[in-house]
Amino acid sequence: MKTEAGNLLADVDAQFERAAVYSHHPRGLLDQVKMCNVVHRMSFPVRDDDGSIRTVEAYRAEHSFHRLPTKGGIRFSPDVTEDEVCALASLMTYKCAIVEAPFGGAKGGVCIDPRKESEGFLERATRRYVAELNRKNMIGPAVDVPAPDYGTGEREMAWIVDTYTALNPSQLNPFACVTGKPISLHGISGRTEATGRGVAIGIAEATASAEDMEAVGLTPGIEGKRVIVQGLGKVGFHAARLLREAGARIVAIAEYDGGIASDVGIDVEAVQQHRAETGSIRGAPGTRTIERPGPVLEMECDILVPAALENQITADNANRIKARVVAEAANGPVDSVGDAILRERGILVIPDLFLNAGGVTVSYFEWLKNIQHVSPERLTSRYQEVATTRVVKALEGATGAHLSDQDFMKAVKGPDEIDLVEAALTDTIIHAYRSVHETWKSRSMPDLRVAAYTLAINRVAQSYAVQGIFP
Ligand code: NAD
């Protein structure tokens, strides 16, 4: 199935159609599941640092209203297009369906380059973008809830919540209007690393199967696997860090301005430190520098983790990829032609709509925390501690064994917020992978991506069928 090179929307739609063959829904319903329901294109004035006025173009796409609110990140990039945000919003709908987060998909994009703009300009553009969304009722805890994406983070989410709160003073749950906020502004522990953590958990789960690994010529497990990561941003950094903690060897990293490699493995945190000091990963201690990022993807490794942007593995380079597993941490890093080539070459692709769903999963927990006005552990932690203390004391009494004070405290301690978030994220990703895997194997589908799309399409279509179509 050929699509126009570089068109993510055409690629997502092509993948949808590959999966639609496995569903038994009427064509009209499939079209409703597939089409982006609302797109708002806006342009607005933003004052530059020298007092002049610049016009900024931006979008918000709300792909599906089968669940509300809609949910999806905001991307700051000069290359953002309407088609791109529609494609990313579609992926959000399917992703939420796979991890059973009760949202429709959405995505926002603002055509600015955060690397080139001043903090003041970025703040004014962000606040004005929120005002434009608010004007159209396209932001709010019950309607549409943004989050971080490429080029945005906690800082932008803080500006968003502050602007929304100022514009909606009588809202009961204003903090639930956006997720990925700093902890001090009602964010949740573990959100920053959630997508990368989900990627690491998903790769661990996918590579645990001896049968699937034998099919690609690898031994099961993460331990000792050679990994290459493209993009050391919010997703790539935490994925690389956690894969390394799990025993993988990070043999190369690509960034927009070049790459680094080391056969003995890269200390990812030291590289991040070097980047903070010098502005680049190039020249990081203990690594050799590679002039351009592209060739890094084609180096020898077991697992390739593209975690930067879409359309990185295409007809141009898919034949030269040496990895046996490609783990799509970014959205759409493999286009549909590249995907077909990897499939023919027997490479296992772990698809984006499953693999990077850890971010929206923890965003869901943050949104719940905000509408409930309480952290998840607050009502239960002390109770669990008291209950476990009773059990441990009873066991000590019955057996005569005694724990040291330190072991006792460790055994009975109630959970903190981060403990609950990490446990629930792990559970969600593992459960989602098993559902996708079971769909793949039980219906003899060609690959995991078709299985993931099929699962998502069925869940969204079923919810339309149960609700009925209004009027
Ligand atoms: P980010 O802006 O934090 O990081 C992206 C990194 O990629 C940056 O360090 C950038 O310099 C680098 N990069 C850009 N072009 C590159 C190139 N050609 N080669 C190598 N590196 C390059 O963004 P992020 O939030 O980590 O998002 C990365 C991807 O993950 C995007 O596709 C995004 O849509 C997806 N994603 C993000 C989240 C999230 O929670 N942030 C959730 C799901 C999916």
Side-chain angles (χ1 to χ4, degrees), residues 75 88 92 95 107 115 148-152 191-192 195 230-236 254-258 275 293 307-310 312 329-332 356-357 359-360:
R75 169 174 288 205
L88 293 166
M92 279 304 296
K95 210 177 288 188
K107 203 75 171 194
R115 273 201 290 264
D149 191 67
Y150 185 88
T152 59
R191 173 60 184 90
T192 308
T195 310
Q230 182 201 32
L232 203 64
K234 296 184 294 298
V235 178
E255 253 299 328
Y256 74 99
D257 59 347
R275 190 185 190 185
L309 277 174
E310 55 270 16
Q312 299 301 303
N331 284 312
N356 67 32
V360 73

Side-chain angles (χ1 to χ4, degrees), residues 79 150 180 245 291 296 333 377 428:
D79 304 322
Y150 185 88
E245 259 178 49
E291 282 313 309
V296 177
E377 82 292 358
T428 302

Side-chain angles (χ1 to χ4, degrees), residues 57-274:
E57 200 160 311
Y59 306 90
R60 183 75 183 169
E62 293 175 342
H63 173 259
S64 176
F65 299 122
H66 74 289
R67 293 270 189 278
L68 283 171
T70 51
K71 184 105 194 60
I74 296 176
R75 169 174 288 205
F76 283 2
S77 159
D79 304 322
V80 164
T81 63
E82 183 172 327
D83 271 7
E84 182 182 275
V85 290
C86 287
L88 293 166
S90 319
L91 282 175
M92 279 304 296
T93 293
Y94 309 142
K95 210 177 288 188
C96 289
I98 287 171
V99 292
E100 298 181 277
F103 304 122
K107 203 75 171 194
V110 183
C111 303
I112 49 179
D113 187 344
R115 273 201 290 264
K116 294 197 177 133
E117 305 296 350
S118 70
E119 187 170 0
F121 183 85
L122 290 173
E123 177 172 354
R124 290 189 291 280
T126 305
R127 290 183 182 278
R128 180 61 191 244
Y129 178 63
V130 175
E132 295 295 327
L133 294 177
N134 193 64
R135 185 205 295 278
K136 293 284 178 190
N137 198 25
M138 290 181 88
I139 182 167
V143 289
D144 189 352
V145 181
D149 191 67
Y150 185 88
T152 59
E154 280 189 355
R155 179 184 64 173
E156 287 74 16
M157 303 308 115
W159 292 332
I160 291 172
V161 76
D162 183 56
T163 312
Y164 180 81
T165 308
L167 293 173
N168 299 275
S170 57
Q171 260 279 353
L172 177 63
N173 304 312
F175 291 108
C177 77
V178 67
T179 57
K181 302 178 292 291
I183 300 289
S184 55
L185 267 177
H186 306 268
I188 197 163
S189 313
R191 173 60 184 90
T192 308
E193 62 268 36
T195 310
R197 182 175 291 279
V199 167
I201 298 167
I203 293 174
E205 191 61 18
T207 56
S209 158
E211 189 190 333
D212 295 347
M213 287 305 98
E214 195 185 332
V216 296
L218 293 177
T219 54
I222 292 287
E223 187 75 40
K225 292 287 180 305
R226 297 164 305 160
V227 174
I228 292 178
V229 177
Q230 182 201 32
L232 203 64
K234 296 184 294 298
V235 178
F237 168 68
H238 290 291
R241 178 178 69 78
L242 293 163
L243 285 168
R244 188 162 179 268
E245 259 178 49
R249 196 156 33 107
I250 311 297
V251 291
I253 298 173
E255 253 299 328
Y256 74 99
D257 59 347
I260 51 173
S262 161
D263 297 337
V264 294
I266 297 173
D267 178 343
V268 185
E269 279 161 284
V271 171
Q272 198 69 322
Q273 178 67 30
H274 172 82

